[in-house]
Amino acid sequence: ISAQNPESLFIPPLTSFYPPTLSLTMAPKSTATDLRTKSREDLQKTLDEYKNELFQLRIAKVTGQGGNVGQMRSVRRTIARIITIMNEQSRTELRKLYKDEKFIPVDLREKSTRAMRNRIPKSQSKLKTRRERVRAKNFPMRKYAVRA
């Protein structure tokens, strides 16, 4: 590097802060909308297939055959997506089953907050006790007339 040539000190800027992406041969990602149209048996079958694929990817990683980490992540997420949709479907079936029942299982009840769940219903909050009714009758609100 010479002091006479300032161009030799120039370092070109990085085009990207991230390393170049590798071309990954990932399993086809299943979208939630596609999965929701499938029946429970089909979902269970695809879940078993993805679990088997994840098992194969883990074996490939341990044996040093280049287990594709990106593909493992995609498969894990797809497995989680399938399980979530299966749980949603079972919950909707149970909600239909318990729709007109007096008591509903705890996990199917309305969540909100504990204070909101335990507050007095509006129908009861407007009611007065016998003592309040008697006092209101015996000691009505005083009426004052203001002279103009």
Side-chain angles (χ1 to χ4, degrees):
I1 301 173
S2 65
Q4 296 168 344
N5 190 0
E7 292 177 5
S8 63
L9 297 174
F10 177 72
I11 299 171
L14 293 173
T15 56
S16 174
F17 290 108
Y18 302 104
T21 57
L22 302 172
S23 62
L24 304 173
T25 57
M26 290 189 181
K29 183 177 156 188
S30 300
T31 59
T33 51
D34 297 338
L35 292 171
R36 282 196 177 92
T37 58
K38 293 185 177 181
S39 67
R40 189 166 182 82
E41 294 80 26
D42 292 340
L43 286 174
Q44 188 63 47
K45 194 164 68 172
T46 54
L47 179 65
D48 293 338
E49 290 172 5
Y50 276 109
K51 282 186 176 181
N52 189 27
E53 185 177 348
L54 183 63
F55 178 70
Q56 297 299 329
L57 286 168
R58 283 181 177 152
I59 289 174
K61 182 181 175 189
V62 170
T63 57
Q65 297 174 356
N68 195 337
V69 179
Q71 189 173 2
M72 287 176 70
R73 179 179 185 219
S74 173
V75 171
R76 274 199 319 268
R77 300 231 169 157
T78 306
I79 289 171
R81 196 174 290 120
I82 292 170
I83 291 171
T84 302
I85 289 170
M86 288 173 69
N87 288 338
E88 282 178 359
Q89 288 178 350
S90 63
R91 280 172 162 270
T92 53
E93 289 169 10
L94 283 171
R95 280 204 171 94
K96 288 177 187 174
L97 183 71
Y98 284 101
K99 183 181 176 194
D100 297 324
E101 298 293 322
K102 183 175 181 182
F103 297 108
I104 300 173
V106 176
D107 59 332
L108 296 179
R109 292 181 193 166
E110 179 190 356
K111 299 292 180 266
S112 64
T113 63
R114 185 171 179 266
M116 289 177 73
R117 287 193 307 267
N118 292 338
R119 70 180 170 202
I120 298 172
K122 287 184 180 179
S123 61
Q124 290 182 6
S125 64
K126 302 293 182 192
L127 297 177
K128 291 185 176 182
T129 62
R130 182 173 170 267
R131 179 185 174 123
E132 286 175 326
R133 285 193 306 267
V134 168
R135 291 187 78 163
K137 187 179 122 193
N138 292 339
F139 305 101
M141 184 70 81
R142 293 185 178 173
K143 296 173 188 162
Y144 294 101
V146 180
R147 289 186 184 171

